[in-house]
Amino acid sequence: MNRDRLLRRTVALAAAAGLALTAAACSSSGSSSSGNSGDSGKASAGAALDPNTKVTISIDCQPPTTKPAERKEWADDIAAFNKQYPNVTINAKDASPCEDPAAFTAQLKGKTQPDAFYTYFTDLSQVLDADQAEDISAYVNDQTVPALKDIDPSVMATLKSDGKLYGLPTTNYKMGLLYNRKLFKQAGLDPEKPPTTWAEIREDAKKIAALGNGVNGYGDYSATNQGGWHYTAELYGLGGSMTTEDGKKAAFNTPEGKQVLQNLKDMRWTDNTMGATQSLKWPDLMTQMSTNKLGMYIGAPDDITYMVQTLKGSYEDYGMGPMPGQKAALLGGADYMFKKGSTPDQIKAGIAWINFKYLTMGKGQFDYARTKADGLPVGLPQPFFFGGATLDADNKAKAASATVPVANYAPYLAVQVPGKTEPANAQQIYKVLDNAVSSVLTDKNANVDKLLSDAESQVNQVLANLQ
């Protein structure tokens, strides 16, 4: 993905009795008065932290001063956590964005990242290549993270390698179909029942485009790597993959891969539902939808926030449905990992905080009554990593404090589409696919088979050069 889509919200209670936390808003490296580091304490990993053991951990991604409401909530959560776990000190470091790629790489190289450090789901390979994360498998269970059983397995899989767990999620998104409910109504479509297949999208797009006055039924990106990004999302929905399992070869020159390009070509030239203006890039689709000139496009839930808060749209006008095809949805998100060499007590303390702040209903980011009181939106379907009873509880709690129309996202939440992360070396791959997507949208005579064959060869060369 080309931008940080991540919202800070989530929460869960640690069962480890005897932990506690004192906040110190500085960025020094953590230390612990309990000695053993690394693997030496794994045998006692499941045990509760000794209440007499004082522990200090450093952690990043404290909200910056430019986000006063979120920063206040962070401080309030540390104070609440401190009542329960008074023997743990957190040295907090603010950052915006939470991860800068160049700085992150430098930290890994210099081994200067905090004890608990923020990463994206796609960072695991880089962190492990640098040998800078502790295996926390022995520390995470239904006692330390009670909601563990309800976390989407596809989310947890992004934090595992060779069966070992290296992080805990704090937020995520899954791509789906964003649509303009106002235009649906004007076109005689049911806004409570968005299309779920590409055939249905084509038919609905025709009805929306028939409204005239410059309205397009469907839109897509095709520039600045975002065409390749959306191609990937649409391919995942049909069950395809961008690369082979080992990431060494392209895998998109398939019937599913051809279907993605053919769908776009047909909507652009046969149906004339996408308009003549192409080579769109972020945030062009949001701009079109917020001005009621676009009926549908593939996106993530936080696009809605952008359309309302930045483009002055209305929450009531936007809905979201599952990823067309529903075989998989492009998944992104963020998590915390633990620095190599962290002591068992530091890991336990960090897990307790992450659980409290990000993974427990009614606490931290899931304290919706507080979020509403602080003037922040409540009710958007993000994060979306819980299922089962926890998801039911989350939906109920959101509805009770909602500041946005949660029913508009019911079609999206009703279908648990498996998540699938971006391919390794995503940006290099996306750049190649931009050309294929742009070609079918700007050239009526574009040859889909040749475009994919050429893209396959180019991606294979890119991947070979990286090996």
Side-chain angles (χ1 to χ4, degrees):
M1 190 179 72
N2 295 354
R3 58 196 177 91
D4 181 349
R5 292 183 162 277
L6 310 173
L7 304 175
R8 298 178 187 86
R9 307 185 172 179
T10 329
V11 151
L13 253 191
L19 260 183
L21 192 125
T22 301
C26 61
S27 60
S28 60
S29 176
S31 61
S32 172
S33 58
S34 61
N36 301 333
S37 66
D39 296 333
S40 59
K42 294 294 173 67
S44 60
L49 184 69
D50 184 338
N52 296 314
T53 300
K54 294 189 179 299
V55 182
T56 296
I57 58 171
S58 55
I59 187 166
D60 56 4
C61 203
Q62 177 189 21
T65 55
T66 53
K67 295 186 174 182
E70 291 92 336
R71 193 176 180 93
K72 179 192 77 70
E73 291 181 352
W74 173 284
D76 290 346
D77 288 335
I78 286 184
F81 189 63
N82 188 39
K83 291 180 180 179
Q84 194 167 1
Y85 307 119
N87 59 315
V88 178
T89 298
I90 285 185
N91 288 335
K93 177 180 179 180
D94 65 6
S96 183
C98 289
E99 181 191 315
D100 174 81
F104 181 70
T105 298
Q107 283 183 330
L108 294 178
K109 185 176 181 180
K111 303 179 181 180
T112 59
Q113 76 272 28
D115 301 315
F117 60 100
Y118 176 102
T119 80
Y120 298 134
F121 288 173
T122 50
D123 290 332
L124 181 60
S125 294
Q126 181 184 3
V127 174
L128 294 184
D129 286 345
D131 192 27
Q132 279 302 296
E134 282 288 340
D135 172 10
I136 62 171
S137 305
Y139 299 88
V140 177
N141 52 57
D142 59 7
Q143 297 300 307
T144 58
V145 182
L148 182 64
K149 67 181 184 303
D150 284 341
I151 299 177
D152 185 342
S154 65
V155 171
M156 295 302 292
T158 69
L159 302 171
K160 293 180 179 179
S161 179
D162 296 329
K164 298 177 181 179
L165 179 66
Y166 290 94
L168 286 173
T170 61
T171 189
N172 77 312
Y173 71 88
K174 288 181 183 178
M175 301 283 271
L177 182 73
L178 284 161
Y179 60 98
N180 187 309
R181 291 171 58 88
K182 179 184 290 187
L183 293 179
F184 262 55
K185 292 175 184 177
Q186 292 177 9
L189 300 169
D190 186 351
E192 312 305 329
K193 297 179 180 178
T196 59
T197 69
W198 284 104
E200 292 172 351
I201 288 174
R202 284 189 67 181
E203 290 307 308
D204 288 356
K206 292 176 186 177
K207 295 177 181 178
I208 294 170
L211 294 172
N213 196 31
V215 172
N216 293 318
Y218 184 80
D220 220 331
Y221 293 131
S222 57
T224 63
N225 295 8
Q226 290 155 22
W229 172 39
H230 271 209
Y231 176 90
T232 300
E234 292 160 18
L235 177 65
Y236 283 2
L238 296 174
S241 296
M242 290 300 290
T243 63
T244 54
E245 199 166 321
D246 60 10
K248 295 182 178 180
K249 292 283 187 180
F252 53 78
N253 191 4
T254 61
E256 294 81 12
K258 293 175 183 178
Q259 183 181 343
V260 172
L261 290 186
Q262 193 64 52
N263 283 338
L264 295 175
K265 185 179 179 183
D266 290 344
M267 285 191 287
R268 168 66 182 93
W269 299 104
T270 303
D271 303 342
N272 195 26
T273 57
M274 296 184 69
T277 302
Q278 294 300 327
S279 298
L280 301 178
K281 60 184 183 300
W282 190 92
D284 292 340
L285 296 176
M286 287 177 276
T287 301
Q288 291 182 7
M289 183 166 283
S290 68
T291 54
N292 299 311
K293 295 297 184 182
L294 179 63
M296 299 174 284
Y297 75 95
I298 297 301
D302 66 339
D303 281 14
I304 298 171
T305 304
Y306 184 87
M307 287 190 285
V308 173
Q309 295 183 352
T310 302
L311 302 177
K312 308 306 178 185
S314 171
Y315 283 116
E316 286 72 20
D317 290 342
Y318 312 123
M320 194 161 185
M323 190 68 207
Q326 301 180 25
K327 296 290 182 63
L330 193 149
L331 168 74
D335 57 272
Y336 277 104
M337 296 184 189
F338 292 83
K339 183 179 182 179
K340 191 74 170 183
S342 296
T343 69
D345 288 339
Q346 285 178 314
I347 294 172
K348 291 176 185 178
I351 289 172
W353 164 248
I354 293 165
N355 179 60
F356 179 88
K357 174 67 175 169
Y358 297 105
L359 296 171
T360 300
M361 289 297 103
K363 306 290 185 181
Q365 70 169 338
F366 293 114
D367 185 348
Y368 294 127
R370 178 186 67 177
T371 303
K372 180 178 181 179
D374 288 339
L376 300 171
V378 175
L380 293 169
Q382 186 171 309
F384 187 24
F385 49 60
F386 284 127
T390 306
L391 176 60
D392 292 340
D394 185 42
N395 288 338
K396 184 176 181 180
K398 275 183 181 174
S401 296
T403 61
V404 304
V406 294
N408 288 8
Y409 320 122
Y412 173 78
L413 292 168
V415 182
Q416 281 281 359
V417 180
K420 187 170 182 175
T421 56
E422 297 176 90
N425 307 299
Q427 296 307 316
Q428 295 95 318
I429 294 173
Y430 294 167
K431 184 176 181 179
V432 172
L433 268 298
D434 264 5
N435 179 65
V437 176
S438 178
S439 293
V440 298
L441 295 176
T442 58
D443 180 2
K444 187 175 184 178
N445 298 313
N447 185 317
V448 169
D449 288 341
K450 186 175 188 308
L451 286 170
L452 276 187
S453 178
D454 289 348
E456 179 183 35
S457 296
Q458 292 171 44
V459 168
N460 281 338
Q461 186 60 57
V462 167
L463 296 177
N465 291 341
L466 293 170
Q467 293 172 26

